[in-house]
Amino acid sequence: MIIDFKLKSTVRIILLFFFTVLNTEVDAHIKNEYSADIIIYGGTSAAVTAAVQSIRMGKSVILVSPDIHLGGLSSSGLGFTDTGDKTVIGGLARDFYHQIYLHYQSDSAWKWQKKEDYGNKGQGTSAIDGNERTMWIFEPHVAEEIFENFITNNNIKVYRDEWLDRENGVKLNNGKIISIRTLSGKVFHGSVFIDATYEGDLMAASGVSYHVGREGNDVYNEQWNGVQTGVFQHQHYFRTNIDPYKVPGDKSSGLLAGISPYPSGRKGEGDNRLQAYCFRMCLSNNPDNRVPFPKPAGYDPNQYELLIRVFQSGWNELFNKFDPIPNRKTDTNNHGPFSTDYIGMNYEYPESSYEKRKEIIKQHEVYQKGLMYFMANDSRVPVDLQRQLNEWGLAKDEFIDNGNWPYQLYIREARRMVSDYVMTEHEVLSKREVPKPIGMGSYSLDSHNTQRYITPEGNVQNEGDIGVSAPKPYSISYDAIIPKKGEVKNLLVPVCLSSSHIAYGSVRMEPVFMILGQSAATAAAIAIDDAQDVQEINYQKLQQALLSQKQLLVLPE
């Protein structure tokens, strides 16, 4: 009987404890309050790798995503990966491309095309690397599936369609973020926070220093920053003299759509302009998997008058950026002097309200859908080009819940943090040593056009497109993903990191974002374990952890 009494008492205690914990969790959910060691804000590829690495470091994590579909551009059309030198892509980023490889080893993955008919073209590399068991080119839905597998396999809590209250949603105490609140009223408490958005919204709302636009060359003693009139690269400029006015030669008739009436600015000076955004369309030329280019609401053929003049000038390179991905599809990017980039229409985006951003995104969608419809249907488009274009359409089996249109606008650049250390062209061009490396980049200094203006001679021209090769892969510093000392002590920023405009043109590649997301989560875990600010953690400890994760930090001697 004594034994039974003790057993019953033990059972009562266990049940009491269980119901106490359960009620506590229920109360917390009723109050819309949630807690984890690490809170990640964003739905990008960097956000996913950061979440996975948080779990691997033994930390609890919550991913708070404004996006419903995870993966950012990597799962929203950018399937023709900007690899640069793929040998310096390690860790979870390389594992992602290994998972892509495994997917396409299956015959069932090749629904619309035989594997042997695909070819093996990648950007500066083979699409499929059998020796390394990686694949760098892929369909959007495949990438999203792999990101979702990362989430599921690691039991990561994700709250989707949750938008940070940018006005009053960040609670700070003694220089540390205590919690963030979303517009739905949910509150997320954490020890360390990671801003993995393309816009840097959490960073900005926390009071961290940042910059929008191009710095003048004199700020960091650079050559390729600021206004770059007279620099013509990538064939994204007008090669012949083209009149900018509605009635050629008549200024009083007004400018054609898309041409700025303002001066370009002096070469090398800073401004608030941003490199252009676009959607990376996934097209198909398989009749059974092709949707004709739709005519968008608000379609205005006058938006494309300048394109007709480009065609009349002899330009015929329309299909040069229909980059092939598996199953007879493309990653279609901007190409030429007048294309999918909506030049000059994104300057307000980084600092705008969510409502205004939605308007800007919709304007880009209408412009780009209208462009494709215009080229496919307007009688003034050269017949041979139009005939070829109408062999293509939106891929029917991609973005099926969004009218086959990509989920994510390509935010090539928005806010950039300004920390005690700023990455510049000097680091990218290997003219300067990089302290505390946490990953590597290798892509060229790459910026799309920022404005379309009238030259002193009275012709239309584009400005801002830069492409300067990095001589070799370069390291990225830990100091570039942490705020200044004296600012926020428990925030890491792996996407909108501390970088000049032109250096960001190289850093801003999806594999690099994955690398930096993983490194940020590793640093966050060390900061928690050692009860230190992110600015004060032991770099040697971070370095050893990253090397054990097969991250590449420096070029081997």
Side-chain angles (χ1 to χ4, degrees), residues 101-337:
Y101 172 87
L102 293 178
H103 173 86
Y104 285 108
Q105 291 303 298
S106 171
D107 290 341
S108 62
W110 299 89
K111 181 177 181 181
W112 305 109
Q113 180 181 43
K114 292 181 179 179
K115 182 179 179 182
E116 55 268 26
D117 294 338
Y118 165 59
N120 205 20
K121 176 190 174 186
Q123 187 172 165
T125 182
S126 298
I128 307 171
D129 186 338
N131 292 330
E132 294 292 327
R133 293 173 61 80
T134 52
M135 186 166 174
W136 306 95
I137 312 298
F138 48 85
E139 298 161 276
H141 77 272
V142 173
E144 184 175 3
E145 178 182 309
I146 290 169
F147 285 125
E148 290 293 348
N149 287 340
F150 279 167
I151 295 296
T152 301
N153 295 341
N154 290 278
N155 296 313
I156 294 167
K157 294 180 181 177
V158 182
Y159 291 86
R160 304 173 196 248
D161 198 22
E162 292 290 342
W163 299 79
L164 177 68
D165 180 347
R166 290 158 54 191
E167 297 299 322
N168 302 295
V170 179
K171 183 178 180 181
L172 294 117
N173 182 33
N174 194 29
K176 288 190 174 183
I177 303 173
I178 304 302
S179 65
I180 62 173
R181 185 178 67 249
T182 60
L183 294 179
S184 71
K186 292 183 177 66
V187 178
F188 299 91
H189 301 266
S191 297
V192 177
F193 292 75
I194 297 175
D195 184 340
T197 63
Y198 291 124
E199 295 85 0
D201 282 342
L202 176 55
M203 171 192 72
S206 303
V208 171
S209 301
Y210 64 87
H211 185 81
V212 177
R214 300 184 287 187
E215 300 90 350
N217 275 329
D218 57 342
V219 176
Y220 299 116
N221 192 28
E222 294 176 295
Q223 177 181 355
W224 299 106
N225 211 334
V227 175
Q228 293 291 321
T229 48
V231 177
F232 304 124
Q233 306 205 49
H234 292 150
Q235 309 301 314
H236 300 166
Y237 60 93
F238 295 92
R239 293 174 234 174
T240 58
N241 295 337
I242 294 181
D243 192 284
Y245 300 105
K246 292 178 181 177
V247 176
D250 182 1
K251 292 184 180 181
S252 66
S253 65
L255 293 168
L256 293 176
I259 301 175
S260 171
Y262 302 108
S264 63
R266 299 189 315 275
K267 185 172 182 179
E269 77 174 350
D271 59 20
N272 64 350
R273 299 180 178 107
L274 296 169
Q275 57 177 311
Y277 301 165
C278 70
F279 289 92
R280 298 288 285 253
M281 295 180 297
C282 184
L283 307 183
S284 172
N285 66 351
N286 185 317
D288 296 325
N289 192 38
R290 181 181 68 203
V291 177
F293 296 114
K295 181 180 181 180
Y299 171 70
D300 179 7
N302 293 321
Q303 287 281 321
Y304 315 105
E305 288 290 330
L306 183 57
L307 178 59
I308 295 301
R309 295 187 189 180
V310 175
F311 284 138
Q312 291 171 346
S313 74
W315 187 81
N316 63 353
E317 301 171 12
L318 180 61
F319 303 100
N320 280 22
K321 287 302 291 178
F322 279 41
D323 292 315
I325 62 175
N327 285 309
R328 292 178 62 177
K329 299 178 189 176
T330 72
D331 167 358
T332 298
N333 195 13
N334 179 81
H335 177 72

Side-chain angles (χ1 to χ4, degrees), residues 49-68:
T49 56
V52 172
Q53 189 57 39
S54 297
I55 295 294
R56 292 187 176 183
M57 297 295 289
K59 300 297 177 248
S60 60
V61 64
I62 296 175
L63 183 56
V64 183
S65 173
D67 308 304
I68 296 172

